[in-house]
Amino acid sequence: MSRATREAYRDRLLPLLQRHPALMCLDSDTGLFNADYAAAAGEQYLNLGIAEHNLMGIAAGMAASGRIPFVNTMAAFATSRALEAIKIDIAYNKLPVRIMATHGGLAAGHLGPTHQALEDLAVMRVLPGMSVVVPADAAATEAFVEQSLDVAGPLYVRLGRKPTPALPVAAPPPVIGQAQTLREGGDVVLAACGPYPVLACLAAAEVLAGHGIGATVLNMHTLRPFDTQTLVAAARPASLVVTLEEHWRSGGLGGAVAETLAEEAPTRVLRLGMPDQFVDEVGNQEHLVAHYDLTAERVVRAVRTALDTTARSGRTDRKESVS
């Protein structure tokens, strides 16, 4: 079943507002909350209009006064226009503000580069004390909204726009800070975050199995705090780790994986994601994901090419050593 992560968040938030008077829903005229929702939330819902920097400042003030604000805006605006307020007012003061950022990645592809968030994970995960989460489907979103009440300090949650499929596999329950192992392999590790990349890696693992290559698939939904233990345990027996994300290759999941393994378990890492350029195509998210080849086919090609190159290099090395 397909469902939008932003809608799953909205629907799960309302009963939490009604159960917890300290919670607030601060909107920036996103259109996600209708009049009936606002009426049901009562004084716990405020639409502050399109003024993202102001939105974060007000959220910080509320959090400093004992409230827990859920702040709603688009990912591109949260991590650019409002970054100073997030950094100084929220993160610096370790305040429990939940930044619920919709239209993450290429979700706003039809609106062009100004509305696309391809740097947000890199920006947010470098802020001290900021937790960063990327749900892969609606069920995980609901779980993370519940768990967010127990997260100390600020939290950034990257949400989509349109419905995306549920994960088709049985997996451990999603828990903030704990990667999900969706498939066991041993030859390679495929690590992803977000709906399309995780689904692509699962599909790629199935194809690779047909070629005799066992792939462990990790849903690395939490970029901070990062689950080093699960990643290292999966990477140690593998000859290759491939990351896939709907984000520029720098600073996001690929960066987190490469940094971690460089320190803990040196392994070859291939980072697959958006090329180092602004989007030069207009279209919906599905079109852009395919256009920039954030696909299972790309993962399969990358794995087979890398393993084939390694095998050829090994044969060459052995010949040279014998001679």
Side-chain angles (χ1 to χ4, degrees), residues 24-25 34 43 68 94 121 133 174 222 282 284 314:
M24 292 293 300
C25 178
N34 60 25
E43 294 183 353
I68 301 178
K94 303 177 182 178
L121 301 179
V133 174
T222 304
V282 176
N284 62 25

Side-chain angles (χ1 to χ4, degrees), residues 175-197:
V175 177
I176 293 175
Q178 298 178 17
Q180 289 176 289
T181 302
L182 302 183
R183 181 175 178 133
E184 297 276 5
D187 298 318
V188 299
V189 176
L190 308 180
C193 64
Y196 289 105

Side-chain angles (χ1 to χ4, degrees), residues 287-299:
H287 170 76
L288 293 177
V289 164
H291 177 75
Y292 289 104
D293 206 9
L294 307 179
T295 62
E297 292 78 12
R298 184 183 183 189
V299 174

